[in-house]
Amino acid sequence: MTRPTITDVANVAGVSKGTVSRVLNDHSKVSDSARAAVHDAIEQLGYRTNVHARSLATGLNDAIALIIADARDQLFRDPTFFELIEGVRDGLAGTKTNLVLLMGGTEAEDRRTVAYLDAGHVDGLIHLNPYLDDPITEGLAGSPLPIVFCGPRPPLALPGRNWMVTIQHREGVLQALAHLDAQGAETIAMIGGHPRGVSAEVRHDAYREWLGDRYDAELYEPGDYSSESGRDALKRLLDRRPDIDAVFCASDRMARGALEAIRNRGLAVPDDLLVMGFDDQRLAAGTKPALNTIHQPIRQVGRTAIATLMAALSGASPPDTVLPTTLVVRDSTGVKTEKSRSTTTPRM
């Protein structure tokens, strides 16, 4: 048996091929009776849309790409990516758009991803974690594809059709530091994110800005957002600066590692050190003590990224989006001594 065609559907439904095409593309200018007849014929014949032919006719693939750099290190370990992807799925609900996951990290993977995108297999893309020196973004120079960055726009961002959907990284850091300051902390260290990360640089800059002339490079250690990197970073910080009385971590996972390092030193939280995270992942409420953190609406970032890309694909010019952060107070920061509170003034 040959595969049924649009002509077969039209003959069975008793309508023109143009009417069948309009029904298949959800065009509004079709009568209810004609629409019902076409759907009945499709079901009777077992007709399936020829995706390749439709792509040639419309120039669209009904597919978008999600890009994750260094996916092997992050996709299956960092809950942030699950939340982002769930948000993207939320945004695609009820649409006919397919999702293609592309992973970078090695030179070969980056090159293969750029080649796939250049070949025109997708209509647009969402980049989940652009880097400062992102070879995928750089490789797309001149590409007509609309791009949405989940996070601050990287310095390599292409001119023209690109947007960012991000959170208030700077404001979130300032919220965290102001809270630690209000609790009496005097020597606040920071465990930052991956040195290549765009958002990590923004958060480090905010920490430096808040401290001003008090900034001390000895109080900063980069990590990679994992618990292990947070544990090891705090070990190094305490080795060279035992006077630290608070630490701000650029992710909840690193803060969990910091809590482990503190326990291993025989110290207590919050009595000896205050600990602050960033993300408000589920793990934050389950640490001992429960973690104070900065909530960022990750799932909403994913939903908004899809809405932005869909608007761009429809020919609109959507704005960039910056979503707010909020302070979440639990148990890992507490009021220090009356003396420290009286001698510490907010620094903004």
Side-chain angles (χ1 to χ4, degrees), residues 79-88 128 150 298-299 301-302:
T80 299
F81 286 95
F82 288 107
E83 286 292 311
L84 278 172
I85 294 171
E86 283 299 294
V88 169
L128 296 186
C150 289
I298 290 297
R299 195 159 179 162
V301 170

Side-chain angles (χ1 to χ4, degrees), residues 197-277:
V198 183
S199 61
E201 181 179 62
V202 174
R203 294 180 193 181
H204 183 204
D205 287 347
Y207 171 72
R208 183 191 292 268
E209 171 195 339
W210 187 82
L211 285 171
D213 294 340
R214 295 171 177 260
Y215 178 80
D216 184 344
E218 284 196 344
L219 294 174
Y220 181 81
E221 273 287 330
D224 62 10
Y225 298 113
S226 69
S227 295
E228 295 81 6
S229 72
R231 180 194 61 211
D232 295 342
L234 190 59
K235 286 180 182 177
R236 292 190 293 270
L237 286 167
L238 288 173
D239 283 344
R240 65 175 179 253
R241 290 297 300 268
D243 59 322
I244 292 169
D245 60 2
V247 59
F248 165 61
C249 305
S251 79
D252 290 341
R253 293 166 68 218
M254 291 194 298
R256 179 172 61 184
L259 290 173
E260 179 184 350
I262 292 167
R263 287 194 298 270
N264 291 343
R265 289 289 177 108
L267 302 174
V269 176
D271 294 340
D272 298 309
L273 266 85
L274 311 183
V275 178
M276 172 72 69

